[in-house]
Amino acid sequence: MDQNLSFPVFPMHFRGILLLSGMYTIAWSAIFRVMGGSIIKWFADGAVIDASLPVSYYGGFGIVVGLLIFFSAFYPVSWVYLIIAGITGKIILAIWFSLGFLPELGWNKRTAFQLIFNEILWLVPLIVIFLRALQVKTYLVERAE
């Protein structure tokens, strides 16, 4: 049997990354949803802030984004639209945090952590996985014809 595969394969570790990304997004968003005021005070790093920030809406939207990413791991080639929805959701969350929270909270190591490590950094593996899933899906469609 030939060990050199001539068709694209969707590696199993990509599914693990999708599951991890989804769970991580759900967990952080649940913190926003449940402990909104406390997490905002922590992000403010001692600064006085306006308490009317839409923390629960941000958390609720993040939970939906996390679920989309999590569910995409079950059939990533068939459900590539869920991966792109998750990528779009992460971009929306990053913009929302940048425009909705940063003006009030200010730029500090905690807000940088939220924006860079919880939103932007996850875009790199999600985009790589999306492109690979598209490549495999295209191959399968061409093969079926």
Side-chain angles (χ1 to χ4, degrees), residues 76-116:
V77 174
S78 300
W79 293 352
V80 289
Y81 58 89
L82 287 180
I83 300 172
I84 196 68
I87 292 169
T88 305
K90 288 298 246 181
I91 292 169
I92 291 170
L93 285 169
I95 292 170
W96 189 350
F97 190 82
S98 297
L99 300 177
F101 292 91
L102 275 182
E104 290 288 329
L105 299 173
W107 188 257
N108 60 47
K109 62 184 175 188
R110 294 173 182 174
T111 55
F113 170 78
Q114 167 62 23
L115 188 59
I116 296 169

Side-chain angles (χ1 to χ4, degrees), residues 49-100:
I49 51 143
D50 181 21
S52 66
L53 294 173
V55 183
S56 63
Y57 293 120
Y58 183 82
F61 183 74
I63 290 172
V64 171
V65 170
L67 286 171
L68 290 173
I69 296 169
F70 182 80
F71 289 137
S72 71
F74 295 111
Y75 301 103
V77 174
S78 300
W79 293 352
V80 289
Y81 58 89
L82 287 180
I83 300 172
I84 196 68
I87 292 169
T88 305
K90 288 298 246 181
I91 292 169
I92 291 170
L93 285 169
I95 292 170
W96 189 350
F97 190 82
S98 297
L99 300 177

Side-chain angles (χ1 to χ4, degrees), residues 8 21 31 40 43 57 62 66 75 81 86-87 110 113 127 136 140:
S21 176
I31 290 171
I40 289 299
F43 279 138
Y57 293 120
Y75 301 103
Y81 58 89
I87 292 169
R110 294 173 182 174
F113 170 78
I127 290 170
V136 171
L140 292 174

